[in-house]
Amino acid sequence: MRLACLPFPLVAALSFLGIARRVGPDAGGATALLVTTPAFVVLASSLLLDVPLLACLLFGVYALLRGVDAGGERWLWAAGAAAGAAALMKYAGLAAAPLLVAGVWLLAGRRGSALARVLGPWAVIVGAWAALSLVRYGAVHFLGSTDVVFRRDLAPPAWVGQLAAVPIWYGAALGFPVAVWARALVRDPAFRAPALAALGVGAIVAFTVLPWSEPARRGPPGRGELWIAALGCAGGLFLWAALLAPRRPRWDPIDRFLALWSAGSLVFSAAVNWHVNAGDALLAAPPALLLLFRRARLRPTPAFARGCAAATLGLALLLARADAEQAGFHREVAAALDAQIGEQAGERWLV
C-alpha cells in the first residue's frame, strides 16, 4: 500500500509545476511553497488519500489547460479521466468534475465538444463505480455519503465551530498564509490595517469561539494551541480577503477560474463537508498559491519563498515525526488490547 501511494506526491508536484508555468510567474517558488506545507508533507507520508486526491485533481486541471490550447483537444480526455480518478479517491473528489466544467466554460472556445470530452470519461468511471457498488452491496456507494451532509448536526456549537475551524486549518496547516500575513504586516503599510484586523478576529475566534465549540469528547485547547489557532486564522482570513476581493482592472478568465476554485474549496469545507482538517486545507492551497503569485503587490520574492519553504518544511518534518510516534503508540495499544482479550468470545470494535 505504501508503494502504491509513493508516486502521488510526485504527480501532484509535477502537475502543479506545469499549471504554475502556464498561469503565473515563479512556478518553482509556488511549487516549493506547496510541497513544503505541513499538510502536504505529513499527509504524503501516510496512507490517507488526500495527496492522491490532490494529484488527480491537479493533473486534471493541468490537462484541462493543455486541452483548451489550439490542437490540444486530446488532453481533455485525460482531464475527464483524472476527474473520474479523483472521485474514486475520496468523496470530495466528486467536486473535480464541476470544477473542470467551470474551467471549460471560462477558458474553452468550443464549449460543447470540450464538455463532452471532459464529462465522457468521468461519466464512464463514476458510472462503473456506481454499478459495481450496486451489484456488490445493493446500493450506490457514494450516494450514502449524502447523510453526512443532510443529516449533520446543526446545533450552534457544531456548525459555528466548523465555520471557525476553516480559516484556522487553512492558515496553520499550510503555513504560507501566516508568513504572507506577517510579511504584509511588517513591510507594507497599505496592508497593515487589514492584517491587524485579521489578527484581532483570529484572537477572538481562537480564545472565545473555539473553546466553546470544541466537541465534548476532546479536552479544552491549551493556551499555546489557541495562539497557533489565532495566527492560523489571521493568515487564512487575510489571504482570502487579499486574493478574492474585487479588483481593477477586471479579472481575466484564468483569474476567474482560480478564484472560483479557491472560493469553491472554502465553501465545501465550511458548508458541505462534515468536518474540517488539513486535507481540506491542502485542496484549497493550489489556487490560493497561483493567485498569490499573480498578484504583483503580494507576490513573494524568491528570497521570501525560499525562507518560507525552509521554515514550513522544518515544521512539517517535526509534525511528520510526531505523527509517526502517534501511529506507533496506536500500534502498541492495539497489540496490548489483543493480548488482553485473547480468545474470549464477543465482538471487537475498532474506534
Side-chain angles (χ1 to χ4, degrees):
M1 290 178 71
R2 290 194 176 276
L3 288 174
C5 286
L6 279 179
F8 288 105
L10 183 61
V11 173
L14 293 178
S15 298
F16 184 74
L17 180 64
I19 297 169
R21 283 175 172 171
R22 300 180 73 85
V23 305
D26 195 6
T31 305
L33 289 182
L34 174 68
V35 301
T36 58
T37 61
F40 187 95
V41 173
V42 176
L43 290 171
S45 65
S46 75
L47 290 177
L48 295 171
L49 293 175
D50 299 275
V51 172
L53 168 57
L54 179 70
C56 295
L57 179 63
L58 291 177
F59 182 76
V61 173
Y62 172 72
L64 173 71
L65 294 178
R66 293 288 302 269
V68 298
D69 288 343
E73 291 80 6
R74 293 179 182 177
W75 280 94
L76 295 175
W77 299 106
L88 299 183
M89 294 297 173
K90 294 186 69 175
Y91 290 136
L94 291 167
L99 174 65
L100 295 185
V101 167
V104 168
W105 190 260
L106 290 169
L107 305 174
R110 300 175 61 184
R111 293 169 179 164
S113 60
L115 284 174
R117 288 185 174 91
V118 169
L119 291 178
W122 177 86
V124 170
I125 293 172
V126 174
W129 175 24
L132 177 63
S133 61
L134 184 63
V135 170
R136 294 193 63 179
Y137 307 114
V140 176
H141 185 239
F142 55 84
L143 293 182
S145 66
T146 56
D147 286 350
V148 301
V149 177
F150 296 111
R151 297 183 184 179
R152 59 191 299 184
D153 184 4
L154 294 179
W159 68 265
V160 172
Q162 177 162 340
L163 191 63
V166 174
I168 291 173
W169 278 105
Y170 188 88
L174 299 180
F176 70 83
V178 177
V180 171
W181 166 82
R183 178 173 178 260
L185 178 65
V186 173
R187 303 192 60 177
D188 196 331
F191 285 122
R192 196 157 293 156
L196 288 172
L199 179 60
V201 174
I204 293 172
V205 168
F207 284 88
T208 61
V209 177
L210 196 61
W212 168 73
S213 63
E214 277 291 290
R217 65 181 182 272
R218 297 179 185 168
R223 184 166 294 274
E225 294 172 294
L226 292 175
W227 276 115
I228 292 173
L231 288 174
C233 189
L237 291 175
F238 174 79
L239 198 60
W240 294 347
L243 297 182
L244 299 179
R247 295 176 55 82
R248 294 291 186 271
R250 295 182 62 183
W251 287 354
D252 63 22
I254 290 292
D255 282 323
R256 291 197 291 270
F257 173 67
L258 294 176
L260 182 66
W261 182 2
S262 184
S265 299
L266 303 179
V267 171
F268 176 84
S269 296
V272 179
N273 206 10
W274 64 281
H275 62 76
V276 186
N277 58 27
D280 299 290
L282 183 60
L283 290 177
L289 278 168
L290 295 170
L291 283 171
L292 177 65
F293 277 85
R294 286 171 64 87
R295 301 287 181 260
R297 188 74 179 265
L298 284 172
R299 184 182 304 147
T301 64
F304 176 83
R306 288 193 297 269
C308 180
T312 54
L313 179 60
L315 175 61
L317 293 175
L318 290 174
L319 287 169
R321 178 179 177 181
D323 187 61
E325 290 179 358
Q326 185 182 37
F329 170 75
H330 282 281
R331 280 192 291 270
E332 292 172 6
V333 169
L337 290 176
D338 182 60
Q340 291 179 25
I341 294 173
E343 299 299 323
Q344 297 180 53
E347 290 182 293
R348 272 67 165 163
W349 291 85
L350 172 65
V351 178

